[in-house]
Amino acid sequence: MALLAPRPMPTAAQEPSAQALSAEALPNHDISDWVADVARLTAPDEVVWVDGSTAEWDRLTKMMVAQGTLIRLNPEWRPNSFLARSDPADVARVEDRTFICSDDPNDAGPTNNWRDPSIMRLELSELFSGSMRGRTMYVIPFSMGPIGGALSQYGVQITDSPYVVASMALMTRMGTAALAGITPGTPWVPALHSVGVPLVGDDGVRREDSAWPHNDTKYICHFPESREIWSFGSGYGGNALLGKKCFALRIASVMARDEGWLAEHMLIVRVTSPENRVFHLAAAFPSACGKTNLAMLAPTIPGWRVETVGDDIAWMRPGPDGRLRAINPERGFFGVAPGTGPATNPTATDTIWGNTIFTNVALRDDGDVWWEGLTAAPPAHATDWQGNDWTPASGTRAAHPNGRFTVAADQCPSIADDWNSPEGVVIDAILFGGRRPSTVPLVSQAASWQQGVFMGATMASETTAAATGEVGLLRHDPFAMLPFVGYNMADYFAHWIAMGDALCDNAPPIFSVNWFRTDADGRFIWPGFSENARVIEWIVRRLEGGMDARSTPIGGLPLAGDLDIGGLDLDAEALAGITDLDTAAWRREAAAIAEYFDTFDAERFPTELRRELDSLTRELGGVVLPD
Ligand code: OXD
Ligand code: MN
């Protein structure tokens, strides 16, 4: 349970409203104790328990419009929709300020930032002390996954940001129904968030609020042993909507390790073949590498249908029949807006017709939103994401590259009717994909679960604007989970190996995909987007046993002619270039993988992955040592 470091009451603390503390009727008294502790620490003007109703949404959005945090969009174009402009210094996840506070630093491992939990707790308590003065503290009970579902988990987020409350209303099942589910003894994750800008200073003087308050000091902290989250200083979704990355990935990955399941950065789709056979695929891609596009794929090849179950996170657990079942723990999409349009993702474009919160995109003069890629022709004039006049001649981007839309999943025209199923869907195949301009072929199938885990563990991808820092740098991003595994990555690899042992013959086949190969001029060779259905077709035919593959050291590759490229502007030679084994590149890759594996503690690192690397190296005829 949440432990707040004992510290004196801040002098300017006001008693939280009677509403918060007269909560005897609550089904779980631990929650009210925690809420009362947090209220004493953070000293808000009032405490509001969120109920998740439409009336509450209307009240909050009206209030934020009045305060200047939200701009109401023209209801003729975008009913019940809003634009938020963040502070330019608070636009993305802050990986360098994200910490795993395990008792033992080795349990955080070499890929995470670690802080001593007791020191961190003290430091955070200092920061949170009085941090909500002059503000309202909202208490958001929420469920990740359908309320009461066997694979679902509860959390309670406290926040002083109404933008976070409205976003959580779209992204989670929250409010009264979730609270009722947290009966005595039901585990729940305490998730504390503050933007870190009190409106009443130490001198007792009230100051003006800003449209997007945030603090230069940011901490996104996870306590895996006590399963708690503390997030300070940022209002950006990935740092502040604590059900998402913090809970559903970092804390849930720890729960999954301890309890024998998987919490993954994966979309889930339901694919129906022309013969009406149904398959569910889970696919991991790093942030802003097209997960939402693949999740909403509108196939160009006749007879195929893809429906959406989730676009970002999958929780997967062996079901009673021993097969892997997955739920999407979220209730909405927090998608990257730039690059999303009728040409690339018509389904997403239709999903955000209304009831949507947009963040850091441009405002058209007619009161609708715009971003690069929404329409081929830009508007003649707009207001950019920072509130400045913008025209196509400005030479700047109208929308921030990590501008976002937040919308409920049930507005998606391609949502599958089983997306909400509490027992989840049976996963028939797992895909791993990164943004790799070279080396990794368009598609390959692992010969075994171990080789599939090797594919996941050796994923690398170019960085994107979803996190602060340089864009376009190739980095190892195992399982697309580099920023999201809440414990030692070597242990995480071992957990994947163990899951294969547990699933045994029911372990789904694993594939690697790469839509991002480029030619000598840096142009993408594969058309991507809806045409990725052709790769999905090959994968499904492999699952059905209806198609052979060429066995190579990097897995099974498509035979010439088996990938349908009819109607594409892609000749057989270009296709061969992206579907073949590039032995020279792979010998270099194997050397880089060996170096990468050496960054992990040899004791914790699974021998199965070493063996995979050894056999890859042997089959490639040795490695090329790096310069
Ligand atoms: C996201 C991310 O927002 O991965 O989904 O950053
Ligand atoms: Mn993501």
Side-chain angles (χ1 to χ4, degrees):
M1 193 44 51
L3 295 173
L4 295 167
R7 46 172 294 104
M9 290 253 296
T11 45
Q14 301 176 20
E15 276 301 310
S17 72
Q19 185 196 1
L21 296 177
S22 65
E24 285 85 58
L26 285 173
N28 189 328
H29 287 275
D30 289 337
I31 300 179
S32 38
D33 288 350
W34 178 64
V35 169
D37 284 349
V38 172
R40 265 189 296 278
L41 178 73
T42 59
D45 272 5
E46 60 166 344
V47 178
V48 169
W49 289 74
V50 162
D51 63 20
S53 64
T54 313
E56 179 177 77
W57 164 277
D58 288 342
R59 223 170 26 244
L60 281 174
T61 51
K62 264 193 199 127
M63 180 190 84
M64 284 189 276
V65 169
Q67 289 171 345
T69 298
L70 294 183
I71 295 167
R72 186 181 293 277
L73 299 174
N74 183 341
E76 268 185 55
W77 300 118
R78 226 43 90 162
N80 193 27
S81 296
F82 304 88
L83 168 64
R85 295 192 187 118
S86 84
D87 187 286
D90 193 25
V91 293
R93 284 186 292 101
V94 283
E95 293 182 3
D96 57 337
R97 303 300 305 161
T98 299
F99 298 91
I100 302 299
C101 308
S102 47
D103 290 340
D104 180 347
N106 293 321
D107 289 338
T111 59
N112 281 313
N113 302 310
W114 176 81
R115 284 287 169 94
D116 180 301
S118 38
I119 296 175
M120 191 71 251
R121 224 178 269 281
L122 278 178
E123 201 173 322
L124 285 168
S125 295
E126 295 275 327
L127 289 168
F128 275 94
S129 173
S131 73
M132 298 188 189
R133 272 188 226 135
R135 294 191 183 278
T136 298
M137 176 177 125
Y138 299 95
V139 183
I140 314 170
F142 63 95
S143 172
M144 298 311 290
I147 292 176
L151 284 73
S152 303
Q153 301 281 345
Y154 291 104
V156 180
Q157 172 158 359
I158 288 180
T159 182
D160 54 7
S161 160
Y163 166 89
V164 166
V165 178
S167 303
M168 287 287 284
L170 296 172
M171 294 301 296
T172 67
R173 286 104 174 152
M174 59 86 119
T176 310
L179 182 60
I182 313 179
T183 49
T186 303
W188 55 279
V189 169
L192 174 55
H193 170 252
S194 172
V195 293
V197 185
L199 289 178
V200 177
D202 289 340
D203 49 6
V205 175
R206 186 168 279 268
R207 60 164 102 117
E208 278 290 292
D209 202 359
S210 65
W212 189 276
H214 77 113
N215 194 307
D216 289 341
T217 300
K218 295 181 170 49
Y219 275 110
I220 321 296
C221 295
H222 309 77
F223 296 82
E225 276 91 12
S226 53
R227 297 182 178 177
E228 279 168 80
I229 302 158
W230 297 56
S231 166
F232 181 86
S234 170
Y236 169 75
N239 304 323
L241 311 182
L242 302 185
K244 193 173 180 62
K245 303 302 180 181
C246 298
F247 181 171
L249 290 176
R250 298 194 191 98
I251 293 293
S253 63
V254 173
M255 296 174 164
R257 173 200 62 190
D258 295 348
E259 297 164 10
W261 50 284
L262 295 164
E264 300 301 323
H265 195 200
M266 290 182 179
L267 65 92
I268 309 166
V269 284
R270 171 188 168 106
V271 179
T272 308
S273 72
E275 300 79 31
N276 257 328
R277 278 201 283 271
V278 172
F279 301 84
H280 289 94
L281 315 183
F285 292 81
S287 305
C289 286
K291 274 201 300 300
T292 306
N293 292 342
L294 185 58
M296 299 179 187
L297 183 101
T300 45
I301 44 176
W304 290 83
R305 196 158 88 237
V306 172
E307 291 160 277
T308 313
V309 177
D311 83 326
D312 195 43
I313 297 175
W315 284 356
M316 304 190 285
R317 203 187 268 262
D321 57 359
R323 301 186 67 193
L324 196 59
R325 291 186 158 269
I327 61 162
N328 165 15
E330 301 191 278
R331 196 184 82 91
F333 307 124
F334 179 60
V336 178
T340 303
T344 55
N345 190 340
T347 310
T349 315
D350 289 345
T351 304
I352 54 182
W353 59 268
N355 309 319
T356 305
I357 298 177
F358 298 90
T359 306
N360 289 341
V361 300
L363 180 65
R364 292 168 53 109
D365 295 350
D366 62 4
D368 197 4
V369 281
W370 189 82
W371 50 78
E372 284 77 5
L374 180 59
T375 53
H381 177 269
T383 307
D384 75 9
W385 68 278
Q386 298 191 69
N388 303 315
D389 270 338
W390 181 91
T391 72
S394 297
T396 54
R397 297 184 64 118
H400 186 277
N402 194 36
R404 296 279 177 150
F405 55 81
T406 312
V407 66
D410 55 12
Q411 274 191 204
C412 176
S414 66
I415 201 76
D417 54 13
D418 56 5
W419 85 277
N420 227 344
S421 149
E423 60 279 354
V425 297
V426 171
I427 293 299
D428 297 291
I430 292 174
L431 278 54
F432 295 123
R435 182 183 275 267
R436 292 295 302 265
S438 70
T439 314
V440 178
L442 181 63
V443 58
S444 61
Q445 181 178 0
S448 63
W449 179 267
Q450 273 85 348
Q451 190 179 31
V453 175
F454 179 80
M455 283 173 172
T458 57
M459 272 171 72
S461 193
E462 292 178 346
T463 50
T464 67
T468 53
E470 202 173 330
V471 169
L473 286 183
L474 191 64
R475 70 172 183 180
H476 283 282
D477 189 350
F479 293 79
M481 285 286 281
L482 177 68
F484 305 125
V485 174
Y487 60 100
N488 189 306
M489 187 66 85
D491 295 348
Y492 169 84
F493 295 162
H495 178 56
W496 263 84
I497 296 285
M499 285 299 296
D501 296 342
L503 287 162
C504 206
D505 292 345
N506 285 316
I510 297 179
F511 295 80
S512 154
V513 296
N514 177 22
W515 323 132
F516 299 96
R517 289 285 289 268
T518 51
D519 64 17
D521 299 319
R523 282 186 302 245
F524 291 117
I525 299 170
W526 179 250
F529 301 111
S530 301
E531 304 298 1
N532 292 334
R534 297 163 188 266
V535 176
I536 300 296
E537 176 182 26
W538 186 80
I539 289 172
V540 166
R541 295 307 182 209
R542 290 289 299 153
L543 296 179
E544 291 175 321
M547 217 168 243
D548 287 335
R550 201 153 46 91
S551 170
T552 77
I554 58 166
L557 299 178
L559 299 177
D562 276 358
L563 258 174
D564 174 7
I565 57 162
L568 292 185
D569 182 16
L570 181 74
D571 59 32
E573 200 188 329
L575 181 68
I578 57 170
T579 52
D580 272 353
L581 165 65
D582 179 343
T583 306
W586 271 97
R587 291 179 72 198
R588 287 192 295 276
E589 184 81 3
I593 292 171
E595 273 187 24
Y596 180 60
F597 281 3
D598 284 345
T599 62
F600 297 100
D601 179 350
E603 302 267 288
R604 299 175 98 116
F605 196 81
T607 48
E608 290 85 350
L609 295 186
R610 284 260 169 227
R611 277 205 295 275
E612 283 298 325
L613 177 59
D614 290 346
S615 77
L616 172 67
T617 308
R618 208 173 35 250
E619 288 175 38
L620 290 168
V623 297
V624 174
L625 293 175
D627 302 331

